[in-house]
Amino acid sequence: MRTLAVFWGVAAIVSAQAPDGEKLFKQQCAACHNGAENNRAPAPEVMKQRSPQAIMDSFLGVMRVQGAKLSGPERRAIAEYVTGKTISGDPTGAAFGRCSASPAFTMSASDPLWNGWGPDITNTHSITTKQAGLTADQVPKLKLKWAFGFPDATITWAQPSLAGGRVFVGSHNGSVYSLDAKSGCIHWVFSAKGGVRTAMSIGAREGGGHAVYFGDTNANAYALDASTGKQLWIRKIDEHPLARVTGSPVLHQGRLYVPLASYEEAQGANPDYECCTFRGSVSALDAKTGAVLWKTYVIPIEPKPRGKSSKGQTLWGPAGSAIWSAVTVDAKRGVVYAATGNTYSGEAQPSSDAVIAFEMETGKIRWINSVTPKDVFLSGCRGGSTNPNCPEANGPDYDFGNAPILTKLPDGRDAIVIGNKSGVGYAMDVEKKGEIIWQYRAGDGGALGGIEWGSAVDAENAYFPVSDISRPKPGGLHAVRLATGERAWYAPPPPLKCAPGRGCNAAQSAAITVIPGAVFSGSVDGGLRAYSTKDGSIIWEFDTNRDFETVNKVPGKGASMLGPGPVIGGGMMFVNSGYGAFGGRPGNVLLAFGVD
């Protein structure tokens, strides 16, 4: 009876809080969609002729910046108001597949754990055999156990987290789920105020219980009760209208470290936009209350007017140095490391395309190592663009999308290992302000190229997957000796799993994961593969390019894998499939694998 009461109580709350589509349209959309002459945005009477799904799709496509500021139910409400038609199905995807019982969440030291981007604060993206519950010999026996469908989604961009026998995962439309790891049934669902692409950090709460921490594309950080999904606090990290949290927050000793990125690099391609004013930052929050303990902008100078464009718009700068990935905690030295992207406007900044060390206590920057000087870049500025926002010399776009990996080299030195969109992987000495120990070229690099979302290490090697999605020869996986930076082996791209055409590509843009004896890598072609750490030979593969029957009855489709990596623990592997952006094909499923 208690379980039923909780279920109906949640249903009643969702119903009572159903968003008002008319009010939201007036607040969020009417300023542009007002039918005024010479207004390029379609008028309400034009949009009324469209299907509600077309309006929903626009929030994930041409209106993705605006859509990022709305929750899934809010997008639904606007689409239904504008068209006068109803969309079937629950926007949270939780009408079916609820668990029959949801006991209080607990964690123990013996439980399988993949916490945050990690699986821990050093972000190695590797795990021991004991924690994995899976050996290399068992990998060929992996089979699909269940699939979960994300509603109103074309991208599966949030890496799952595993703790206490539950999988915590966010979604494109802002729904956040607590799922049973063995069956995929839903313990609870929460609707955030924007899309959620970060992994979750889980930790004990002061006074008892546990909390789940994450960020959204509206620049909010959250804490939820891990047992119920009830919101404990929400904190707006930055007031810039295009700010968003893409890198996973990291929890350590009562503090939550939150990196910040933005949509402004893409918005600058609009010649009517006053470019640019965003600055990347790291904030330390009190995990109990969400209070900001410190916030450090990586560009210390506030943007100032620097002239007028040929369109008469004010040009601003300096701006940029977004932090796209998770920060990494070095408890021994009392610092957190973050990796940044390029400058957007104004003079190139020393904090761009860099690894930066922040003091954990104060947020003071201890050191910066930038690997690409003079990288001022905006989207849409290649090939002789006439956009007045474009820099005089558009940079190579050599962001760091990788999270810094803190590891120990065979000679005992602590180092940061990290891949860059230039196609180069680095080892940096943390005792010498990030001085480069070795560097290794894995790919050609460029826009959407090089090493995109995540490398990994074990005791002997660093592993660098190559995107190069727009280059003649995309893909490939490199194993590099930690001791010397020399190649141990190279695995070329295997035959494609998808039918040739748009979005069918061998690029390995997604983050990778290592267990002793095996490296797991998803590809834009929709193939998920395990490679032997000995020689790079493929020991297992699975084709995700198909429809899936899901536990929550949301139609599921697998496709390209471009962002998050596989999460492994307790003999199970969890991975998202589908990425309808940046050269990939859309999909919306979380897949769970295990051995019989």
Side-chain angles (χ1 to χ4, degrees), residues 114 117-127 328 403-408 417 454-458 461 463 512-514:
W114 189 292
W117 181 256
D120 56 29
I121 58 175
T122 60
N123 288 324
T124 61
H125 245 255
S126 64
I127 195 166
T328 299
I405 294 171
L406 179 61
T407 191
K408 190 174 290 295
V417 171
S455 307
V457 302
D458 59 19
N461 295 328
Y463 301 92
I512 59 173
T513 298
V514 179

Side-chain angles (χ1 to χ4, degrees), residues 136-209:
D137 290 340
Q138 292 174 311
V139 168
K141 301 176 183 178
L142 283 170
K143 295 180 180 179
L144 183 68
K145 294 298 183 181
W146 52 263
F148 185 87
F150 299 110
D152 300 339
T154 60
I155 295 175
T156 54
W157 57 9
Q159 182 177 282
S161 295
L162 175 66
R166 300 189 185 185
V167 174
F168 299 92
V169 63
S171 71
H172 198 179
N173 84 344
S175 298
V176 176
Y177 304 89
S178 171
L179 308 177
D180 182 80
K182 294 297 183 184
S183 68
C185 71
I186 303 167
H187 286 291
W188 52 254
V189 61
F190 172 84
S191 292
K193 296 181 180 295
V196 176
R197 64 176 290 174
T198 75
M200 311 280 155
S201 287
I202 303 99
R205 294 171 57 193
E206 186 178 321

Side-chain angles (χ1 to χ4, degrees), residues 237-238 256-260 281-285 292-296:
I237 299 299
D238 199 280
L256 188 71
Y257 298 95
V258 186
L260 198 70
S281 65
V282 174
S283 296
L285 309 185
V292 178
L293 303 175
W294 56 257
K295 179 179 181 178
T296 301

